[in-house]
Amino acid sequence: QSALTQPRSVSGSPGQSVTISCTGTSSDVGRYDYVSWYQQHPGRAPKFIIYDVTKRPSGVPDRFSGTKSGNTASLTISGLQAEDEADYYCSSYGGGYTFVVFGGGTKLTVL
Amino acid sequence: QVQLQESGPGLVKPSQTLSLTCTVSGGSISSGFHYWSWIRQPAGKGLEYIGRVYSSGSTDYNPSLKSRVTISLDTSKNQFSLNLNSVTAADTAVYFCARVQADNRAYDYWGQGTLVTVSS
């Protein structure tokens, strides 16, 4: 099962919005609404911020939102803050006995 | 609050077996609502799925590691373990354990990670 494709880096200024894409195939992202997103600060464990494409776990600010269109899922962070600077990873269920695959990760820089 | 904590040697010699344990608190690994997974991350690189175990003991592994990996449960201690044999320098990474929701495959709780270096 191939990894999901994410841009290596994105950037934005405080207060702006940025969107990170996550492209899979018709067998994973396109077929199932089981896309999750994770935020990872340097030296820290990943933190679960979006699940089921659009849902936020308790405690995650509503500045973080997820969508999906076809084989591509997207994470949008609005009202960028310095603390949002981190690496972001997507994951998707691929069906059957295959399991979750991760995207390659996107480094978000807050200018 | 569910917490996961990895433990094990930080240094393993080439060709030997890497063994790590994840201790789970705040929830039972026998619940049936979750999988229990290992993920690793080489320095400066992305996350790599290693494998997972279900409460029944059934397992699934990354095909690229399948011939070298074993993941198992110890329900009496509320722990699950990773064994990776015949290690090389390429296996040097931070190893995370994580809980995975069985219905949507989201990794909702993670351990802090432990660095394992393969070197003689």
Side-chain angles (χ1 to χ4, degrees):
Chain A
Q1 195 168 0
S2 301
L4 306 174
T5 301
Q6 298 181 233
R8 295 199 62 159
S9 64
V10 297
S11 62
S13 300
Q16 290 186 332
S17 295
V18 294
T19 296
I20 300 171
S21 62
C22 170
T23 301
T25 69
S26 58
S27 298
D28 41 56
V29 175
R31 184 166 185 178
Y32 300 98
D33 288 335
Y34 291 148
V35 176
S36 302
W37 289 90
Y38 306 87
Q39 176 193 60
Q40 186 181 33
H41 288 107
R44 304 293 298 274
K47 175 188 174 184
F48 172 52
I49 58 173
I50 294 285
Y51 67 101
D52 292 357
V53 179
T54 63
K55 299 175 182 176
R56 285 186 307 278
S58 175
V60 174
D62 60 6
R63 302 186 295 104
F64 293 87
S65 62
T67 58
K68 189 184 84 168
S69 177
N71 297 338
T72 298
S74 299
L75 172 71
T76 297
I77 308 169
S78 57
L80 268 180
Q81 300 180 3
E83 67 208 48
D84 298 332
E85 184 162 295
D87 294 324
Y88 291 83
Y89 294 88
C90 62
S91 70
S92 177
Y93 175 55
Y97 291 101
T98 59
F99 210 66
V100 178
V101 291
F102 289 101
T106 299
K107 181 175 179 58
L108 167 63
T109 300
V110 180
L111 302 171
Chain B
Q1 177 76 345
V2 175
Q3 293 186 314
L4 293 86
Q5 177 69 57
E6 305 88 351
S7 60
L11 181 64
V12 181
K13 289 182 166 51
S15 80
Q16 294 191 342
T17 296
L18 180 160
S19 295
L20 295 174
T21 296
C22 183
T23 300
V24 179
S25 58
S28 171
I29 63 171
S30 304
S31 73
F33 295 106
H34 305 99
Y35 297 97
W36 305 92
S37 187
W38 288 97
I39 301 98
R40 70 181 184 180
Q41 185 173 38
K45 297 190 177 181
L47 302 170
E48 180 180 28
Y49 168 72
I50 299 172
R52 57 85 174 160
V53 62
Y54 190 50
S55 56
S56 64
S58 67
T59 54
D60 171 78
Y61 302 125
N62 185 325
S64 68
L65 298 170
K66 188 173 184 176
S67 63
R68 300 194 290 128
V69 174
T70 303
I71 297 176
S72 58
L73 285 174
D74 185 339
T75 55
S76 66
K77 295 181 180 178
N78 220 37
Q79 296 175 335
F80 63 105
S81 298
L82 167 70
N83 280 339
L84 179 66
N85 59 36
S86 303
V87 297
T88 69
D91 295 309
T92 295
V94 175
Y95 286 75
F96 296 99
C97 59
R99 190 182 82 168
V100 189
Q101 296 176 3
D103 55 352
N104 61 13
R105 281 35 174 208
Y107 290 73
D108 58 356
Y109 288 96
W110 295 68
Q112 64 185 22
T114 187
L115 174 62
V116 179
T117 301
V118 178
S119 175
S120 55

